Amino acid sequence: MSYLGPVSQIPVGEGRTFAVDDAQIAVFRLRDGSLRAVDAVCPHKGGPLADGLADDQVVVCPLHGATFDLCTGTQAGGGDPVRSYDVAEVDGQIRITL
């Protein structure tokens, strides 16, 4: 379990990339204030997923449009998934479990 800093550093509706141990993880703060986390790098073309468009269910890779479920990491239509992570807000801080 790691703390990544204050949740306020991620604007509502956006994502940010964090280095955690040897992993790059994209953390998204959804419009309802909840958090989701997946691998930060698209497995296809290396796109930065934190820069992709996200709603309350999915993130779209900004390089080629692959769509990944923010809860499970599965790719819509099949294909290579990304890993999803358990993330929560605890006392205003982002806590992630690898």
Side-chain angles (χ1 to χ4, degrees):
M1 183 170 19
S2 297
Y3 285 90
L4 305 179
V7 73
S8 61
Q9 68 186 315
I10 306 174
V12 173
E14 294 187 21
R16 294 290 183 264
T17 299
F18 295 89
V20 182
D21 295 334
D22 292 332
Q24 294 289 315
I25 299 172
V27 179
F28 296 89
R29 187 174 177 197
L30 305 183
R31 297 200 192 296
D32 67 1
S34 64
L35 301 173
R36 301 286 185 274
V38 296
D39 287 333
V41 179
C42 177
H44 307 108
K45 297 193 179 203
L49 291 180
D51 294 343
L53 295 176
D55 63 16
D56 60 346
Q57 300 290 322
V58 299
V59 61
V60 179
C61 176
L63 291 186
H64 70 297
T67 303
F68 298 94
D69 185 289
L70 286 171
C71 292
T72 64
T74 57
Q75 183 182 346
D80 295 329
V82 292
R83 183 173 172 196
S84 63
Y85 299 90
D86 182 31
V87 63
E89 180 179 350
V90 177
D91 297 326
Q93 299 291 311
I94 302 165
R95 183 188 73 198
I96 193 161
T97 303
L98 299 182

